Amino acid sequence: MEATTTDAPTDDDYEQFRSDMVRLIPSLRAFARGLCRNPDLADDLTQEAMMRAWASRHTFTPGTNFRAWMFRILRNHFYGAAKKLRRETSLDPEVAERTLVQEATQEHALHVNDVDTAMARLPEHQAEVLWLIAGAGMSYEDAADIVGVGIGTIKSRLNRARAAIKSIIEGETERVAV
């Protein structure tokens, strides 16, 4: 490209830039193929380098080595993309499916609502024991002392409460045994 007397590039400067770039396409493609060893990727690399050069044409200093400037853009883009790819990990779709699955959180709320509804349908003495043992984590002995009944009665009420909860949730019964 020839230097012009004005600081702002003229249409002739852009036309010269374009024609110089077009003349370099075969050489740029050959260089890109040598770098990436894949014709399709090489074409993409060449196109990207040309787009970057065109976008940065105002930074090119006329009278300097245009060919070297273009090859440097292509080379820098190739190594920058390669560096970025090294940081990325390709994931096998089957592995991704197993790894990236998260249970739907709205189902947890439904289950909690089901249990809460079932608990409301239990007789008071069964619900009380279930809350003490399963809810508060108390021992059978402590629950028996609080309720004022024997450990056998606590175990019996707990067993009936659990069975009733299960049958209510599974929809097997409308009435709960007392």
Side-chain angles (χ1 to χ4, degrees), residues 20 36 38 69 164:
D20 288 348
C36 64
N38 180 319
W69 187 73

Side-chain angles (χ1 to χ4, degrees), residues 52-167:
R52 288 172 182 240
W54 185 257
S56 300
R57 64 188 176 274
H58 64 279
T59 65
F60 176 71
T61 306
T64 60
N65 189 340
F66 181 75
R67 182 180 175 91
W69 187 73
M70 285 294 301
F71 275 72
R72 184 173 293 121
I73 290 172
L74 188 141
R75 181 182 177 276
N76 288 347
H77 177 62
F78 172 75
Y79 286 115
K83 187 176 182 181
K84 183 178 178 183
L85 282 175
R86 279 194 303 266
R87 290 188 301 253
E88 294 178 359
T89 303
S90 62
L91 199 54
D92 178 23
E94 291 178 15
V95 172
E97 188 174 317
R98 288 190 308 268
T99 306
L100 302 177
V101 172
Q102 179 181 2
E103 283 191 41
T105 57
Q106 65 270 26
E107 288 183 22
H108 295 299
L110 292 174
H111 295 305
V112 168
N113 287 341
D114 289 345
V115 170
D116 191 40
T117 301
M119 288 287 291
R121 295 182 56 200
L122 288 178
E124 187 177 316
H125 62 277
Q126 288 179 4
E128 178 182 44
V129 170
L130 192 57
W131 280 117
L132 290 172
I133 304 290
M138 291 189 178
S139 67
Y140 293 141
E141 292 83 12
D142 291 340
D145 287 341
I146 292 170
V147 176
V149 295
I151 292 177
T153 305
I154 292 294
K155 288 180 181 181
S156 176
R157 288 180 184 177
L158 181 62
N159 187 38
R160 281 186 267 132
R162 287 178 176 162
I165 293 284
K166 181 180 178 194
S167 65

